[in-house]
Amino acid sequence: MTQQSSHASTPSGTTSLVQQVGSLIRSARLGRSLTQAELAEQVGTSQSAINRIEHGSQNIGVDLLGRISDALGRDLITLGDRPRHTHLRVHGGHQLHGSIDVKTSKNGAVALLCASLINRGTTRLHRVARIVEVDRIIDVLRSLGASVVWSEDGNDVEIHVPADLDLTHIDADAGRRTRSIIMFLGPLLGDHDEFRLPYAGGCDLGERSVQPHLIALQHFGLAITAEAGWYHATVDPDVPENVSIVLTERGDTVTENAIMAAAVHEGVTVIRNASPNYMVQDLCFYLELLGVRIEGIGTTTLRITGRSVIDEDVDYWPSEDPIEGMSLLTAGIVTGSEITVRRVPIEFMEIELATLHEMGLRYDVSPEYEAHNGRTRLVDVTVHPSRLHAPIDKIHSMPFPGLNIDNLPFFTAIAACATGHTLIHDWVYEGRAIHLTDLTRLGADVRLRDPHRLDVTGPTHWSGAEVSCPPALRPAVVILIAMLAAKGESVLRDVDIIARGYEQLQERLVSLGADIETFHD
């Protein structure tokens, strides 16, 4: 291990390095079956310090980092204080067991962080997912002058936005690595006549136009020109009191952008063809706490009465993530296991479960109970080993309340376990389906019919292989889950993208009995 600085710490604009190091420590500790207290005793510090380090909320000196490396038998930092590329080694082919909770929504957290820009009071978000995508948005918020502070246990985040944002120093690097930066447009319309945002980035999923956002937000006076990697936004203040919008695309982020623009518009806005998906509902619940009146939550027509000045101290608990719920259920299904996934937001999983029932999956669902936000309905789902068969019709996604677009890739691995032929139609993305053909390396019969359709024939006799992680989040996780079913040893290389949308996924699968270890070249 080579050190070139006195601390493995970074300024607030580059917090992801500290958190990556903490994640490496946590992964290595769990790999050696050590508790935080046991590791703390070995290196001469406190359990609470180890907890803060693993959550990326405490600086770590070189001496302590060296002691932790020795205790874990692993070099954690390479030349230049940069973590090395992370790979996973999976010994699959055996069943999982036990129970696991679904964590809160990554997409919901990102939308709420963007929405915090409209509040001049203090926003406290509880049980927020500690993932790279969240870190990037927080880096951007801090670069604008907002105070963003994590709680000592790393679960909650407190945001305070100053009266005057410093838009000239926006963190362009963090902004370009997430498509979520586009959701800064709506909140910023209320206070700024002119500003710039970096081009949006994110997963490699093919062409995804921002035009629907611009069409929706032009009703609030927004005009955009593109120049040298930036969106240059100008805002015409002459906007009518009552605004009516018909979205040309029932997308989640475009709906959220329009909602946030309406929230700071002193008047009534009607949005038709709105997405009623889980992250949109989370955003609406939060805005209601800020005094924004919203009628029609959960439907495709919203009537919003906004406020030009919002200064409220609020606490909000984001709802659980249906995509993570589907990920964990898929791990149980493809390994032929009996596991219980707790805190599943059932409203956003009903079509998925109905489709699985049609394919022959045996599962039990508990009575419903409330999420911490008091609004989202949760259940516990127990899946049992089942003989699956291909569905009669194709499997395709639809805007909510249809099968979730982000849950569709998991059905490729499930269909590969089913007897018969399944057509998977991913009509939204031009480039995502091709990444799922990597399942053939593990023995699956997955054929690309065109950029949007896959033919899957099962059942599959999974076998271990080495695969490079695709540059798209959900296909990457699908391949990792398939490796759990593959007999022998598999290697998934360059898995950093998984941290964009999942917190400690490897460790949580290990808690269910998966045999996964992290290694670095």
Side-chain angles (χ1 to χ4, degrees), residues 91-318:
H91 297 276
H94 55 267
Q95 292 181 323
L96 307 178
H97 52 82
S99 302
I100 191 167
D101 289 353
V102 175
K103 288 184 175 287
T104 56
S105 160
K106 158 243 186 187
N107 289 326
V110 166
L112 293 166
L113 287 168
C114 294
S116 70
L117 279 170
I118 72 176
N119 184 23
R120 292 303 175 264
T122 298
T123 294
R124 283 176 294 272
L125 302 177
H126 298 270
R127 300 178 65 246
V128 177
R130 291 299 297 265
I131 56 173
V132 171
E133 190 80 350
V134 165
D135 291 337
R136 290 172 181 171
I137 293 298
I138 287 176
D139 286 344
V140 176
L141 289 172
R142 286 172 169 160
S143 72
L144 299 179
S147 169
V148 185
V149 179
W150 287 96
S151 62
E152 185 171 322
D153 63 7
N155 291 325
D156 309 328
V157 65
E158 183 173 291
I159 309 107
H160 184 79
V161 178
D164 297 314
L165 292 170
D166 183 7
L167 298 180
T168 62
H169 289 89
I170 189 169
D171 187 336
D173 181 58
R176 289 195 175 99
R177 289 182 287 133
T178 170
R179 279 193 175 90
S180 301
I181 190 68
I182 198 71
M183 287 197 294
F184 277 56
L185 287 173
L188 292 176
L189 286 177
D191 287 333
H192 302 276
D193 297 330
E194 185 176 0
F195 57 91
R196 296 196 310 163
L197 291 178
Y199 277 144
C203 287
D204 179 10
L205 296 173
E207 294 298 322
R208 292 165 69 187
S209 173
V210 299
Q211 195 63 28
H213 294 261
L214 309 186
I215 293 172
L217 296 179
Q218 69 183 0
H219 293 275
F220 299 99
L222 177 71
I224 294 283
T225 57
E227 51 182 40
W230 293 82
Y231 299 120
H232 183 199
T234 56
V235 183
D236 183 349
D238 188 16
V239 178
E241 180 178 351
N242 296 324
V243 175
S244 182
I245 304 171
V246 178
L247 298 180
T248 57
E249 172 187 290
R250 198 192 302 172
D252 301 324
T253 57
V254 65
T255 300
E256 290 167 325
N257 239 340
I259 289 171
M260 289 185 282
V264 293
H265 173 64
E266 194 77 42
V268 176
T269 302
V270 176
I271 305 173
R272 303 188 188 278
N273 196 34
S275 166
N277 210 356
Y278 63 98
M279 70 289 283
V280 177
Q281 292 194 29
D282 251 339
L283 173 63
C284 290
F285 298 153
Y286 166 72
L287 292 175
E288 285 185 318
L289 296 178
L290 298 182
V292 178
R293 184 179 177 187
I294 305 178
E295 302 169 65
I297 297 174
T299 76
T300 58
T301 300
L302 297 173
R303 180 182 174 88
I304 302 170
T305 304
R307 302 174 61 189
S308 58
V309 178
I310 297 176
D311 188 346
E312 304 287 342
D313 293 338
V314 297
D315 289 79
Y316 185 72
W317 283 258

